[in-house]
Amino acid sequence: MTLQDLGYHNVLEQFKIDQNLDSFEVGRVISQHKERYIVKTPTKEFDAELLGNLRFTAESRYDLPAVGDWVAFSEYDDNKALIRTVYPRTSILERQAVGKKGQVQIIATNIDFGLIVQAIDRDFNVNRLERYLTICNASKVEPIIVLSKIDLLPEFHLENITQQIKRRIKGVPIVTVSSQMDKGYDTLNPIIQKGKTYCLLGSSGVGKSTLLNHISGKSLMKTGHISTSVNKGRHVTSHRELVVMENGGILIDNPGMREVGISDLSGGLEITFETIFEYTQNCKFKDCTHTHEKGCAVLDAVENGDIDYNSYANFQKIEREKLHFESSVLEKKKKDKSFGKLVKQVKKQRKQNKY
């Protein structure tokens, strides 16, 4: 194995040279447990922690390592290491942090493709697919839809589902698989390219770990049996983990997400709902909300059937969520700025009291 097999490329090598990091080793974070990390090199895996200076100078979560990151580190004991620097990222998959207003949670970094997995039985939901697409598009990650457990429904029902997706989502590959029938993997396997990184996205129990095991041909991840009471898979993966496949692809397994909060600040919504945004250019008013205005091209297109109503309703819901998140971020920045000023005033007052 080489660094290139882990996804290393010339831009990272140039950063290493420019920052004079030749005296440190380079590796990729393949697992994270709170503030402990597993860093992989072509020959070893290290139990790593943050160098104190990196921890205390970090201004936000973005300054700390995440699964998928490349890092400069130094070994201080057998298989023990200190992470000193995080290399620049090509992409960051993220969502709103659950229960934390105005904050984000990093799902994984340096991702090339997002495998959005949905089981076609009770988990299937086009609205949720559009949410995952928005997350991928905001991060410039290429999405691929994978429909799992196709053995649970008749063939005609599966065809109806794929057609339903294609009516609302354009230009995204759809792959259908079944682990029970060992079907569909001959289509999926060629998609996995050597040196490229793929992140599995989806709810709990949709078969992400089973998918990883089938692609690799090995039992790399634990899998759960289908519950006979609710006909759903059980949640198995408890943390993110990066795995290098025998065919050269790199996959990140990911815990199931009950909530897919949008933290899009970089145009992912516009890409996911491209058709709707094309119609907004023809609205009578520039500040049109596309909800009630006369002369709204979007509402006219919905009424004429040129825009799917359910897609329009989901767009409105996600956009409101996005705007609320943006206002929460601004509010948090103001509070942080005010708190910073207060700290400076206290320090200044204490200094004056000494004299």
Side-chain angles (χ1 to χ4, degrees):
M1 182 183 290
T2 66
L3 281 173
Q4 284 68 31
D5 293 330
L6 287 170
Y8 195 72
H9 49 80
N10 292 336
V11 175
L12 296 171
E13 180 63 22
Q14 191 59 51
F15 176 82
K16 178 182 176 181
I17 294 169
D18 293 343
Q19 299 298 316
N20 297 315
L21 298 173
D22 291 331
S23 58
F24 302 115
E25 293 193 61
V26 59
R28 196 167 189 187
V29 177
I30 64 170
S31 182
Q32 178 186 357
H33 306 271
K34 294 185 178 179
E35 292 191 359
R36 307 290 298 190
Y37 304 85
I38 303 298
V39 177
K40 186 176 182 63
T41 69
T43 56
K44 294 175 69 174
E45 291 183 7
F46 295 86
D47 180 8
E49 58 185 305
L50 301 177
L51 187 71
N53 187 52
L54 176 59
R55 180 187 290 110
F56 296 122
T57 57
E59 295 182 1
S60 71
R61 183 66 191 83
Y62 291 105
D63 298 321
L64 300 176
V67 173
D69 270 329
W70 287 93
V71 295
F73 69 93
S74 55
E75 185 176 4
Y76 68 88
D77 201 352
D78 188 32
N79 293 335
K80 302 286 185 182
L82 288 173
I83 297 174
R84 296 175 174 272
T85 302
V86 179
Y87 279 62
R89 296 155 173 159
T90 56
S91 63
I92 304 175
L93 273 175
E94 61 187 12
R95 63 168 176 170
Q96 283 190 42
V98 178
K100 297 180 180 179
K101 189 176 180 181
Q103 295 186 43
V104 298
Q105 176 193 12
I106 296 177
I107 300 169
T109 65
N110 299 313
I111 306 300
D112 298 298
F113 296 87
L115 297 178
I116 305 171
V117 186
Q118 282 199 349
I120 65 166
D121 54 348
R122 300 186 183 188
D123 178 71
F124 177 71
N125 186 301
V126 182
N127 285 354
R128 195 183 304 120
L129 274 180
E130 288 178 332
R131 282 180 170 270
Y132 281 115
L133 284 172
T134 302
I135 287 176
C136 289
N137 290 329
S139 305
K140 306 299 183 288
V141 169
E142 189 171 336
I144 299 169
I145 297 170
V146 181
L147 301 178
S148 66
K149 305 183 183 181
I150 61 172
D151 53 284
L152 298 178
L153 292 177
E155 186 70 28
F156 75 90
H157 199 154
L158 175 61
E159 180 63 25
N160 289 338
I161 286 175
T162 55
Q163 289 304 316
Q164 184 181 344
I165 295 172
K166 288 177 181 179
R167 280 195 296 270
R168 286 176 57 173
I169 299 171
K170 312 295 184 184
V172 178
I174 302 172
V175 181
T176 60
V177 299
S178 167
S179 60
Q180 297 296 317
M181 300 168 62
D182 197 22
K183 186 177 179 181
Y185 294 99
D186 55 341
T187 303
L188 182 60
N189 286 334
I191 293 175
I192 309 300
Q193 303 173 37
K194 183 176 182 179
K196 298 295 184 181
T197 303
Y198 301 74
C199 186
L200 295 167
L201 301 167
S203 307
S204 298
V206 298
K208 297 190 299 297
S209 296
T210 302
L211 184 73
L212 190 154
N213 289 342
H214 269 77
I215 295 173
S216 67
K218 294 182 178 181
S219 295
L220 297 173
M221 295 291 178
K222 270 198 221 175
T223 57
H225 297 292
I226 299 293
S227 167
T228 55
S229 59
V230 295
N231 194 33
K232 292 180 73 176
R234 294 186 177 92
H235 171 73
V236 175
T237 304
S238 59
H239 59 273
R240 293 167 190 85
E241 187 162 347
L242 183 150
V243 177
V244 181
M245 318 300 284
E246 285 190 351
N247 64 2
I250 304 154
L251 266 75
I252 294 179
D253 196 13
N254 198 55
M257 289 184 275
R258 293 184 181 88
E259 298 180 31
V260 193
I262 302 300
S263 61
D264 171 31
L265 300 174
S266 57
L269 200 64
E270 286 85 343
I271 299 172
T272 303
F273 297 96
E274 182 181 7
T275 301
I276 292 177
F277 276 92
E278 285 176 355
Y279 278 97
T280 63
Q281 307 303 313
N282 300 320
C283 287
K284 183 176 181 180
F285 305 104
K286 288 185 178 180
D287 59 349
C288 184
T289 63
H290 321 300
T291 56
H292 62 275
E293 294 88 351
K294 289 183 178 180
C296 174
V298 173
L299 290 177
D300 289 343
V302 172
E303 187 175 344
N304 296 334
D306 295 326
I307 292 177
D308 182 272
Y309 174 79
N310 292 321
S311 184
Y312 161 77
N314 197 35
F315 160 73
Q316 286 286 346
K317 183 178 180 180
I318 295 176
E319 187 173 53
R320 285 195 300 270
E321 188 177 311
K322 176 193 171 187
L323 292 172
H324 178 72
F325 177 77
E326 289 174 345
S327 65
S328 297
V329 170
L330 290 174
E331 183 183 339
K332 186 176 182 298
K333 284 182 178 178
K334 287 180 181 178
K335 286 182 178 179
D336 290 344
K337 190 175 182 180
S338 298
F339 181 72
K341 287 181 178 178
L342 179 62
V343 170
K344 286 182 180 179
Q345 288 173 359
V346 170
K347 286 182 178 179
K348 184 178 180 181
Q349 189 65 44
R350 285 180 177 175
K351 189 175 181 180
Q352 289 173 348
N353 290 342
K354 285 183 179 181
Y355 305 101

